Amino acid sequence: MQALPNKHHAPARLRQARRTLLDAGSVAEGLIAPALLNSWQRSRAFGLRPEGRMPGAPHASAAQLTRALEQQRELVAHARPVMEFLVKQTMDTDSMVILADAEGMLLQALGDATFLDRAQRVALRPGASWHEQWRGTNAIGTALADAAPVVVHGAEHYLERNGFLTCTAAPILDPAGRVLGALDISGEQRSVHRHTLALVRTAAGMIEQRLFEHRHGAGLRLRLHAQPEGIGSCAEGLLALSEDGWLSGANAAGLQMLGLDWTAISACRIEQLLQLDVATLADWCRRPSAAARPVRRHDGSPLWLRLEPGRSLVAATRICAPHASSHAAPQDALARLDSGDPALRSALERARRVMDKPIALLLQGESGVGKELFVRALHASSARAAKPLVALNCAALPEALIEAELFGYRPGAYTGAAREGAPGHIREAAGGTLFLDEIGDMPLALQGRLLRVLQEHEVLPLGGGAPVAVDFRLVCATHRELAEEVAQGRFRADLYYRLNGLALQLPPLRERQDLPALIAAMLAELQPGRALAVQPELLAALRAYRWPGNLRQLHNALRTACALLDEHEQHIDWPHLPDDLARALRQASPDPRAGEAPGGLREQARLSVRQTVAACEGNLSEAARRLGISRNTLYRKLREQQTGS
């Protein structure tokens, strides 16, 4: 469906295919394109009828749309200029430019007023969901389902009521390959143009480049093209490197130039991407140049590269040469949480901007992603650091006790109360920070009382008496989707909007790009003064694992590994892992001890050893230091490679 569909799908053939699908449940091979057939079959499985009305397709309220726009603030900000550019290119063509999120909700729509009016009759407007589940085959929903550009023209739409449209959409990917949303041009069926697909794909690429620059602008970036004049154009390849030299981000063009796919993110080092060693890259960082440099891929074919150290040359030099001595100023607790992941760094930077302002913070993320650790660092870095940080887990206390624990009580307020009464956690946090973890589990009755405290800045203890004025910084956290809880009536909307001054999403460990640096920091905390490292084969397996328990699971695993190390051992390997984790790692990736085929974890580790030794010109001491292993371990690995074992 990436070519102009009406060139291949005549109306009569579409009608025949639709009748066959509805009557027999299948279509003869070759009658319509496979991608279109697959989408029609998904639509049929969702229970949609081509001639029928949609079964309660959802439409966001104004408040829900505002919330969605805030959650997608980065995407919207970088897509809007490109959308405005597209509108100028398609002016007076009875069409509109649409941005949707990854679930198919339309976020913004720009275009010809006359077509906008007709489009609204089929809910082609912000707030509507165009997921295939609700609208059947359509360019936005199908591009998201297939993660590929698509044209859906006229009767190719599964629902007949959408047959007057011709729609072209392309998915928008972030620098780690995750689908963020889709860009679409929709218009009257008669206004179809065979260049629209190329225009939409190019525009989506422009948005992806803007997202790449935003997320990786402070770090080391490589710009690639087959010709030096192509660097800086919309056809250039983009790569970003993490602090320890791993590929942390890219665009599709950059991966294609190197013969890679999105699984290479966080799985390849610079030496595995190009015939380029770390020492050369470090030298280029120290002597940056705007000129393109010739480099070679591993098959010997040439490329041109321009290196950009980012906004901080010092930081870029550290990325390329992590062994260099550093005399940086002491970091505060918030800065020490930054170990190189772009998503976490963005959350840290936004939190720092508001940490001393009267703006409530709402932290969201899976269990174990480090929400309390984030709050403690935020408090320690703020102007309230000398005052108390009081944390209360709303899900860990019986409902009958939460009110007394939070608001305090007068002497004799209830049976079993302490004779002298209690101030409650809110008053204990006076001048400091109150952290309410799992706020989504707070009973509805208490939500109203908390709202009054936040509005009036005073608390009334159980048992009556005069209200007590309070001043505290409020931070809440939850693994629940509070907007959904509000929609289901389980959380007060007025409290939700009071808490949601700034919402920050903390990334799960499986999506973070700083695992080696994170492991190094945890080992330094668990075993201070002891230079511990993880063997390369095991580190590759840890990178491939999904980490359902997030940071909590990783920390517990490393603590166990440290306990199982002998006093003379400096490297964590498979025997030091808990059995259940070792089993899960081997199920998630090839067994590094099973002699897997080239491209497996063991082969990657061997390649890394060979390339590092070559980059150090045979200096095994330097190579061992760069690999994070002892010289004896390096000698053993080289002997194993020579003998083929």
PDB file of all heavy atoms in Angstrom, residues 49 108 169 187 233 243 255 265 269 310 362 416 421 444 532 625 641:
ATOM      1  N   ARG A  49     -18.162  -3.589  10.813  1.00  0.00           N
ATOM      2  CA  ARG A  49     -18.869  -3.871   9.570  1.00  0.00           C
ATOM      3  C   ARG A  49     -18.674  -2.695   8.624  1.00  0.00           C
ATOM      4  O   ARG A  49     -18.864  -1.540   9.013  1.00  0.00           O
ATOM      5  CB  ARG A  49     -20.362  -4.079   9.823  1.00  0.00           C
ATOM      6  CG  ARG A  49     -20.678  -5.254  10.728  1.00  0.00           C
ATOM      7  CD  ARG A  49     -20.408  -6.581  10.041  1.00  0.00           C
ATOM      8  NE  ARG A  49     -21.234  -6.761   8.850  1.00  0.00           N
ATOM      9  CZ  ARG A  49     -21.160  -7.821   8.049  1.00  0.00           C
ATOM     10  NH1 ARG A  49     -20.284  -8.788   8.304  1.00  0.00           N
ATOM     11  NH2 ARG A  49     -21.948  -7.911   6.998  1.00  0.00           N
ATOM     12  N   GLN A 108      -3.397  17.236  16.547  1.00  0.00           N
ATOM     13  CA  GLN A 108      -3.532  18.532  15.881  1.00  0.00           C
ATOM     14  C   GLN A 108      -3.913  18.310  14.424  1.00  0.00           C
ATOM     15  O   GLN A 108      -3.561  17.282  13.826  1.00  0.00           O
ATOM     16  CB  GLN A 108      -2.240  19.347  15.975  1.00  0.00           C
ATOM     17  CG  GLN A 108      -1.915  19.826  17.375  1.00  0.00           C
ATOM     18  CD  GLN A 108      -0.871  20.925  17.381  1.00  0.00           C
ATOM     19  OE1 GLN A 108      -0.056  21.038  16.474  1.00  0.00           O
ATOM     20  NE2 GLN A 108      -0.898  21.745  18.415  1.00  0.00           N
ATOM     21  N   ALA A 169      -0.028   8.427   5.314  1.00  0.00           N
ATOM     22  CA  ALA A 169       0.555   8.610   6.649  1.00  0.00           C
ATOM     23  C   ALA A 169       1.890   7.898   6.739  1.00  0.00           C
ATOM     24  O   ALA A 169       2.144   6.907   6.041  1.00  0.00           O
ATOM     25  CB  ALA A 169      -0.397   8.100   7.726  1.00  0.00           C
ATOM     26  N   GLY A 187      -7.273  14.052   2.303  1.00  0.00           N
ATOM     27  CA  GLY A 187      -7.997  14.970   1.432  1.00  0.00           C
ATOM     28  C   GLY A 187      -9.124  14.270   0.703  1.00  0.00           C
ATOM     29  O   GLY A 187      -9.401  13.082   0.918  1.00  0.00           O
ATOM     30  N   SER A 233      22.027  17.594   5.185  1.00  0.00           N
ATOM     31  CA  SER A 233      20.791  17.550   4.412  1.00  0.00           C
ATOM     32  C   SER A 233      19.787  16.628   5.098  1.00  0.00           C
ATOM     33  O   SER A 233      20.112  15.922   6.060  1.00  0.00           O
ATOM     34  CB  SER A 233      21.068  17.054   2.995  1.00  0.00           C
ATOM     35  OG  SER A 233      21.387  15.668   3.010  1.00  0.00           O
ATOM     36  N   GLU A 243      27.907   7.798  27.049  1.00  0.00           N
ATOM     37  CA  GLU A 243      29.150   8.144  27.726  1.00  0.00           C
ATOM     38  C   GLU A 243      30.181   7.031  27.670  1.00  0.00           C
ATOM     39  O   GLU A 243      31.372   7.290  27.778  1.00  0.00           O
ATOM     40  CB  GLU A 243      28.867   8.524  29.186  1.00  0.00           C
ATOM     41  CG  GLU A 243      28.174   9.864  29.330  1.00  0.00           C
ATOM     42  CD  GLU A 243      28.205  10.373  30.754  1.00  0.00           C
ATOM     43  OE1 GLU A 243      28.881   9.742  31.587  1.00  0.00           O
ATOM     44  OE2 GLU A 243      27.579  11.401  31.024  1.00  0.00           O
ATOM     45  N   LEU A 255      21.109   4.109  10.382  1.00  0.00           N
ATOM     46  CA  LEU A 255      21.145   2.656  10.533  1.00  0.00           C
ATOM     47  C   LEU A 255      21.236   1.969   9.176  1.00  0.00           C
ATOM     48  O   LEU A 255      21.971   0.992   9.007  1.00  0.00           O
ATOM     49  CB  LEU A 255      19.893   2.189  11.273  1.00  0.00           C
ATOM     50  CG  LEU A 255      19.759   2.654  12.727  1.00  0.00           C
ATOM     51  CD1 LEU A 255      18.410   2.228  13.294  1.00  0.00           C
ATOM     52  CD2 LEU A 255      20.890   2.105  13.585  1.00  0.00           C
ATOM     53  N   ILE A 265      20.516  -0.268  18.688  1.00  0.00           N
ATOM     54  CA  ILE A 265      20.576   0.775  19.714  1.00  0.00           C
ATOM     55  C   ILE A 265      20.891   0.134  21.054  1.00  0.00           C
ATOM     56  O   ILE A 265      20.239  -0.818  21.485  1.00  0.00           O
ATOM     57  CB  ILE A 265      19.241   1.553  19.792  1.00  0.00           C
ATOM     58  CG1 ILE A 265      18.880   2.153  18.435  1.00  0.00           C
ATOM     59  CG2 ILE A 265      19.314   2.638  20.854  1.00  0.00           C
ATOM     60  CD1 ILE A 265      19.853   3.187  17.927  1.00  0.00           C
ATOM     61  N   ARG A 269      28.986  -0.885  20.000  1.00  0.00           N
ATOM     62  CA  ARG A 269      29.945   0.180  20.280  1.00  0.00           C
ATOM     63  C   ARG A 269      30.418   0.803  18.966  1.00  0.00           C
ATOM     64  O   ARG A 269      30.227   0.250  17.892  1.00  0.00           O
ATOM     65  CB  ARG A 269      31.138  -0.367  21.073  1.00  0.00           C
ATOM     66  CG  ARG A 269      30.806  -0.755  22.508  1.00  0.00           C
ATOM     67  CD  ARG A 269      32.048  -1.254  23.229  1.00  0.00           C
ATOM     68  NE  ARG A 269      33.101  -0.256  23.225  1.00  0.00           N
ATOM     69  CZ  ARG A 269      33.197   0.738  24.118  1.00  0.00           C
ATOM     70  NH1 ARG A 269      32.289   0.864  25.059  1.00  0.00           N
ATOM     71  NH2 ARG A 269      34.186   1.607  24.054  1.00  0.00           N
ATOM     72  N   GLY A 310      28.703  18.332  20.585  1.00  0.00           N
ATOM     73  CA  GLY A 310      27.536  18.759  21.343  1.00  0.00           C
ATOM     74  C   GLY A 310      27.777  20.077  22.039  1.00  0.00           C
ATOM     75  O   GLY A 310      28.777  20.760  21.821  1.00  0.00           O
ATOM     76  N   LEU A 362       4.293  15.436  39.773  1.00  0.00           N
ATOM     77  CA  LEU A 362       3.664  14.124  39.716  1.00  0.00           C
ATOM     78  C   LEU A 362       4.592  13.202  38.930  1.00  0.00           C
ATOM     79  O   LEU A 362       4.818  13.405  37.738  1.00  0.00           O
ATOM     80  CB  LEU A 362       2.295  14.202  39.037  1.00  0.00           C
ATOM     81  CG  LEU A 362       1.562  12.870  38.854  1.00  0.00           C
ATOM     82  CD1 LEU A 362       1.273  12.222  40.202  1.00  0.00           C
ATOM     83  CD2 LEU A 362       0.273  13.068  38.065  1.00  0.00           C
ATOM     84  N   GLY A 416      -7.844   3.881  70.761  1.00  0.00           N
ATOM     85  CA  GLY A 416      -6.521   3.381  70.434  1.00  0.00           C
ATOM     86  C   GLY A 416      -5.530   4.461  70.068  1.00  0.00           C
ATOM     87  O   GLY A 416      -4.352   4.173  69.840  1.00  0.00           O
ATOM     88  N   GLY A 421      -1.581  12.423  71.334  1.00  0.00           N
ATOM     89  CA  GLY A 421      -1.904  12.830  69.976  1.00  0.00           C
ATOM     90  C   GLY A 421      -0.703  12.682  69.039  1.00  0.00           C
ATOM     91  O   GLY A 421       0.347  12.158  69.423  1.00  0.00           O
ATOM     92  N   LEU A 444     -11.003   7.687  48.153  1.00  0.00           N
ATOM     93  CA  LEU A 444     -11.691   8.879  47.648  1.00  0.00           C
ATOM     94  C   LEU A 444     -12.031   9.868  48.749  1.00  0.00           C
ATOM     95  O   LEU A 444     -11.904  11.084  48.575  1.00  0.00           O
ATOM     96  CB  LEU A 444     -12.968   8.460  46.914  1.00  0.00           C
ATOM     97  CG  LEU A 444     -12.858   8.194  45.411  1.00  0.00           C
ATOM     98  CD1 LEU A 444     -14.146   7.586  44.885  1.00  0.00           C
ATOM     99  CD2 LEU A 444     -12.523   9.470  44.659  1.00  0.00           C
ATOM    100  N   LEU A 532      35.118  -3.105  40.837  1.00  0.00           N
ATOM    101  CA  LEU A 532      34.408  -4.250  40.277  1.00  0.00           C
ATOM    102  C   LEU A 532      33.905  -3.928  38.874  1.00  0.00           C
ATOM    103  O   LEU A 532      33.608  -2.777  38.561  1.00  0.00           O
ATOM    104  CB  LEU A 532      33.222  -4.633  41.164  1.00  0.00           C
ATOM    105  CG  LEU A 532      33.549  -5.089  42.585  1.00  0.00           C
ATOM    106  CD1 LEU A 532      32.261  -5.449  43.321  1.00  0.00           C
ATOM    107  CD2 LEU A 532      34.505  -6.277  42.579  1.00  0.00           C
ATOM    108  N   ARG A 625      42.329  -2.171  30.452  1.00  0.00           N
ATOM    109  CA  ARG A 625      41.707  -1.073  31.188  1.00  0.00           C
ATOM    110  C   ARG A 625      40.477  -0.560  30.460  1.00  0.00           C
ATOM    111  O   ARG A 625      39.436  -0.309  31.062  1.00  0.00           O
ATOM    112  CB  ARG A 625      42.708   0.071  31.385  1.00  0.00           C
ATOM    113  CG  ARG A 625      42.214   1.163  32.305  1.00  0.00           C
ATOM    114  CD  ARG A 625      43.207   2.303  32.369  1.00  0.00           C
ATOM    115  NE  ARG A 625      43.479   2.828  31.033  1.00  0.00           N
ATOM    116  CZ  ARG A 625      42.598   3.558  30.342  1.00  0.00           C
ATOM    117  NH1 ARG A 625      41.430   3.820  30.851  1.00  0.00           N
ATOM    118  NH2 ARG A 625      42.888   4.000  29.146  1.00  0.00           N
ATOM    119  N   GLN A 641      40.621 -17.357  21.933  1.00  0.00           N
ATOM    120  CA  GLN A 641      40.359 -17.025  20.535  1.00  0.00           C
ATOM    121  C   GLN A 641      41.361 -17.712  19.610  1.00  0.00           C
ATOM    122  O   GLN A 641      41.017 -18.138  18.500  1.00  0.00           O
ATOM    123  CB  GLN A 641      40.400 -15.510  20.343  1.00  0.00           C
ATOM    124  CG  GLN A 641      39.256 -14.783  21.025  1.00  0.00           C
ATOM    125  CD  GLN A 641      39.197 -13.312  20.662  1.00  0.00           C
ATOM    126  OE1 GLN A 641      39.746 -12.896  19.650  1.00  0.00           O
ATOM    127  NE2 GLN A 641      38.530 -12.516  21.500  1.00  0.00           N
TER     128      GLN A 641
END
